[in-house]
Amino acid sequence: MRYQYLDARLRQAFDDAGLDRGQRALLQGVLRALDPDAHLGEHVAGLNSAFLAVTRAQTALESHATEDQPRWNLLRRIVTTSLACMDAAAPAFVHGGAKELAEAHQTLLDVDAAIAADGQKLDPRVTAAAARKLDPRALDSAVRQWITPLWTGVGLPLRARMIAEVAVVVAVHGRDGRQLRSDLLRWLKKPGGDLGDVLWPEARRHVVALVVRGARVLRHLDELLPQARQEPLHRNRLPKDDFLKDAVEGSSVLVRLPVNAADAHTAALRGRRMLSEALDQYAAGERLTELNIAPLWQVSGPSGRVTRGTEHRRTVGNAYPLTAYWPADLRSAMRVANLARQIPASTAPMASAGLAWSALEATGLDPSKIPWLAKACALQMLRQHLVSLHVIVTNHDKELRGPLDAYVPTTGVKHHLKSVDAWLEVLIKHNRPKEQLKAAQDAVTALAENEGGLVQDLVELWRARLADSTTLAGWLREQEDTAIAVLEWLYVTRNLAFHAGRYATPADELTAQAGQAVADLTLEFLGNWRTVERQRGEQETAAVEVYRRLAQRKDQLEARLKRAGSVRRLSVEDISGPDERWWSRTTTSS
């Protein structure tokens, strides 16, 4: 089920516990960020975060000092993008961590000055010393203390920024979104305990059971994974109701290994990664044998409680291609992007991230053109966020949304918007709106108030952004800066994985998830661009040229917004398409 952070059971639990709007927004915001179906910019992997920026900068500095990767010029770009992310996140740290953030900021400024002065002669001792000064754990500790002010009341838009930072710290701690939702439901029945203990429970010992297919015995496994235990499996010797029945195929072995984790689902993911890395040894030793881990898993928790599950698989009723024909210069990108998705971010994140970069590279992208793609992504994210807002606003209460549906019709089983601009028209404030538009706007207000929490926050945030064109321009710039930071770090990760042989870095799962999301977003707007050109019988524009044109468009839009004073003429319908109609909307309200 999608949007579990908005489902009826959770809403009822909020009502029973008497949570106010800000408290609901906090819990829903964290759960949405951990939802695998969340869009780029909503999912935790694509949120702007000072904690994540400092973590990446420290990793880059340490790696440069020991391995000369990333090289000095790329290192400077990482420092620069980290500073931009820290500057954007800084207002949230008024509730704790401002001193620690300022110290980290100054450390990176000093490194930037050293790189500017010394260039390729940069002394690795300088980067090593800077890495030692940076302390992401201090920011982690500060963010955990924000739960108290967030629970007692913080206004918008600061609340949204703080929740995003909290969500990143929760994810890096190692929390599965579905498990967290279950834990929150239990906590809400007796909310007297510390919410921090629910978000960041102490990592405890779990025993993970996984089935390896392709061998009956893994010799020397206890030397590679101390404390791991194994047991050969024979399908015809298992009881008919045994949970392993469907996991055993031919020669198989059950492996049990202890894992420290905050919850059972996270333990299963960590155990799978540990075992997958151990199987690299056996794959190298038995080159003609294919070994794989069955999707089924079982975890025994510290209390003895047993949890069973399978790897998360998303399915759809009808699957649609990116385009209804083969766009020549996107075939390689689609192939590599699909391979990147088939490598789970939880088991081989560095490889997955490296392939995500390779998918973008296959379109013609190189590091010098990262700013172009980041600007293009910012435009597409504007459209995507507005569409996402419509989905969650209309997620409940069909009676209230009648006037909205009449003004903003949808089509198909997935209820796609017939016109994104019609929805934009509803969100923008008008002095004398016509009757039908006024009814649609009132319906949005009623739906938001009825839902409360995160939905009401998002409606107010977007109404505020669209009421002030300079605020919207600032939002676009922040999305661009965040996308640049992701892309630069994705390139660093690719170099560390393919050139330096690194198979793990801090928060590498978030990097892999962000890489896949950026690749998907890029293929989305490139596919739309190609489809429009083919319908018109026009020659296909090279992907890099699309990046350049969209980057130019984003700069023009940002400049227009800063001087226009209004977004009345903004059009997002085809904002990332081949037509220059981004400032062509005509209002029908007054």
Side-chain angles (χ1 to χ4, degrees):
M1 176 182 172
R2 298 187 67 188
Y3 307 116
Q4 290 194 15
Y5 56 92
L6 296 177
D7 73 2
R9 186 181 177 192
L10 199 60
R11 294 170 75 218
Q12 186 62 52
F14 291 160
D15 291 341
D16 294 342
L19 300 195
D20 62 28
R21 171 181 164 183
Q23 293 165 346
R24 293 171 188 243
L26 167 61
L27 302 185
Q28 289 176 318
V30 172
L31 289 175
R32 180 178 74 153
L34 298 179
D35 188 337
D37 290 326
H39 294 299
L40 185 67
E42 297 176 345
H43 189 271
V44 65
L47 296 175
N48 183 67
S49 162
F51 165 73
L52 197 55
V54 173
T55 300
R56 288 171 174 167
Q58 184 185 52
T59 302
L61 290 166
E62 288 177 341
S63 183
H64 176 272
T66 57
E67 304 171 22
D68 197 28
Q69 280 285 351
R71 300 301 303 276
W72 66 274
N73 49 352
L74 179 53
L75 177 64
R76 189 177 190 190
R77 297 206 301 270
I78 293 300
V79 169
T80 301
T81 56
S82 295
L83 285 168
C85 291
M86 292 162 68
D87 287 339
F93 285 80
V94 69
H95 286 282
K99 177 175 177 291
E100 292 82 356
L101 183 63
E103 290 172 350
H105 193 274
Q106 187 58 53
T107 297
L108 292 185
L109 285 176
D110 293 342
V111 170
D112 185 63
I115 299 175
D118 300 335
Q120 61 183 348
K121 296 180 180 179
L122 179 66
D123 191 334
R125 289 175 295 184
V126 172
T127 52
R132 288 192 297 269
K133 286 183 181 179
L134 293 177
D135 187 7
R137 291 173 300 179
L139 296 180
D140 179 296
S141 298
V143 170
R144 295 186 187 210
Q145 303 308 311
W146 294 358
I147 297 303
T148 298
L150 282 169
W151 198 253
T152 54
V154 174
L156 287 175
L158 187 58
R159 177 164 69 228
R161 191 174 291 283
M162 292 175 69
I163 291 172
E165 197 78 51
V166 168
V168 170
V169 173
V170 169
V172 172
H173 178 72
R175 273 307 241 148
D176 177 83
R178 291 159 295 178
Q179 183 73 58
L180 177 57
R181 177 180 174 276
S182 298
D183 292 344
L184 285 172
L185 283 169
R186 283 193 291 271
W187 178 79
L188 286 168
K189 293 179 179 179
K190 297 179 180 179
D194 188 351
L195 176 58
D197 291 340
V198 182
L199 297 175
W200 299 286
E202 181 182 354
R204 297 195 291 171
R205 186 179 187 272
H206 295 71
V207 177
V208 180
L210 297 163
V211 175
V212 176
R213 299 189 289 211
R216 193 144 289 164
V217 177
L218 299 171
R219 296 292 182 183
H220 306 293
L221 181 65
D222 56 341
E223 297 175 46
L224 298 172
L225 291 176
Q227 299 183 310
R229 299 292 179 266
Q230 58 179 307
E231 175 187 339
L233 294 175
H234 303 268
R235 184 177 178 85
N236 57 359
R237 296 181 187 175
L238 291 171
K240 290 184 178 180
D241 59 346
D242 195 289
F243 85 101
L244 295 173
K245 197 75 174 177
D246 295 332
V248 178
E249 291 182 2
S251 296
S252 301
V253 56
L254 176 65
V255 177
R256 292 186 176 89
L257 63 159
V259 176
N260 285 329
D263 59 56
H265 286 80
T266 302
L269 291 176
R270 290 183 177 175
R272 185 176 294 275
R273 178 170 180 174
M274 291 166 59
L275 184 56
S276 177
E277 290 169 359
L279 290 182
D280 294 343
Q281 277 267 20
Y282 296 92
E286 298 286 346
R287 61 185 181 84
L288 299 181
T289 300
E290 182 179 343
L291 300 171
N292 64 81
I293 305 173
L296 194 70
W297 53 263
Q298 175 178 285
V299 175
S300 300
S303 64
R305 180 179 179 182
V306 174
T307 305
R308 292 171 180 167
T310 59
E311 282 193 288
H312 181 63
R313 291 279 188 263
R314 296 182 226 176
T315 61
V316 294
N318 296 290
Y320 293 90
L322 179 70
T323 62
Y325 73 103
W326 287 109
D329 68 342
L330 294 187
R331 291 197 68 169
S332 294
M334 288 189 288
R335 178 91 284 261
V336 181
N338 190 22
L339 291 174
R341 276 190 292 269
Q342 292 176 34
I343 298 177
S346 58
T347 56
M350 298 289 282
S352 178
L355 284 173
W357 171 265
S358 296
L360 296 171
E361 198 172 40
T363 67
L365 182 73
D366 63 56
S368 68
K369 298 178 178 63
I370 281 177
W372 289 358
L373 179 54
K375 293 174 190 289
C377 286
L379 287 180
Q380 183 68 358
M381 286 168 69
L382 173 59
R383 186 183 190 280
Q384 198 175 64
H385 278 235
L386 289 172
V387 172
S388 175
L389 180 63
H390 180 269
V391 171
I392 66 170
V393 165
T394 57
N395 194 49
H396 291 294
D397 210 318
K398 294 182 180 179
E399 293 183 9
L400 286 176
R401 72 182 209 216
L404 176 60
D405 290 344
Y407 197 88
V408 186
T410 58
T411 183
V413 294
K414 294 186 178 181
H415 303 287
H416 289 304
L417 288 170
K418 286 187 175 180
S419 169
V420 185
D421 281 347
W423 170 232
L424 179 64
E425 182 90 350
V426 171
L427 293 174
I428 294 174
K429 182 179 179 180
H430 301 275
N431 293 329
R432 296 184 300 276
K434 291 183 178 179
E435 183 178 348
Q436 190 179 16
L437 174 59
K438 179 66 165 56
Q441 291 178 325
D442 291 344
V444 171
T445 301
L447 285 163
E449 290 177 350
N450 178 260
E451 185 64 41
L454 180 65
V455 175
Q456 194 170 5
D457 275 11
L458 290 172
V459 168
E460 290 190 13
L461 280 169
W462 275 105
R463 279 177 166 171
R465 288 166 186 156
L466 296 170
D468 181 0
S469 58
T470 58
T471 299
L472 183 60
W475 182 87
L476 277 169
R477 183 53 191 263
E478 184 172 346
Q479 306 316 304
E480 176 191 338
D481 288 344
T482 305
I484 288 178
V486 167
L487 287 164
E488 295 285 12
W489 187 246
L490 199 62
Y491 182 54
V492 168
T493 301
R494 174 259 196 188
N495 289 348
L496 292 177
F498 296 164
H499 296 328
R502 295 277 291 275
Y503 67 93
T505 60
D508 51 13
E509 289 184 37
L510 296 187
T511 303
Q513 292 165 350
Q516 292 177 15
V518 172
D520 289 344
L521 186 76
T522 301
L523 288 172
E524 180 181 298
F525 68 74
L526 287 177
N528 175 65
W529 190 294
R530 290 285 189 280
T531 298
V532 172
E533 287 181 328
R534 186 173 179 84
Q535 288 172 346
R536 296 173 178 174
E538 298 173 353
Q539 184 176 356
E540 291 185 352
T541 305
V544 173
E545 176 61 15
V546 173
Y547 301 156
R548 187 195 67 80
R549 286 175 57 180
L550 288 179
Q552 184 181 53
R553 181 181 303 174
K554 191 268 176 185
D555 288 341
Q556 292 171 342
L557 173 58
E558 189 175 325
R560 182 70 63 90
L561 288 170
K562 287 180 178 178
R563 67 173 183 266
S566 168
V567 299
R568 293 286 181 86
R569 296 192 62 192
L570 172 65
S571 172
V572 296
E573 189 68 45
D574 303 302
I575 199 166
S576 54
D579 293 322
E580 298 288 343
R581 295 191 296 214
W582 48 271
W583 202 253
S584 61
R585 189 171 58 87
T586 55
T587 180
T588 59
S589 61
S590 58

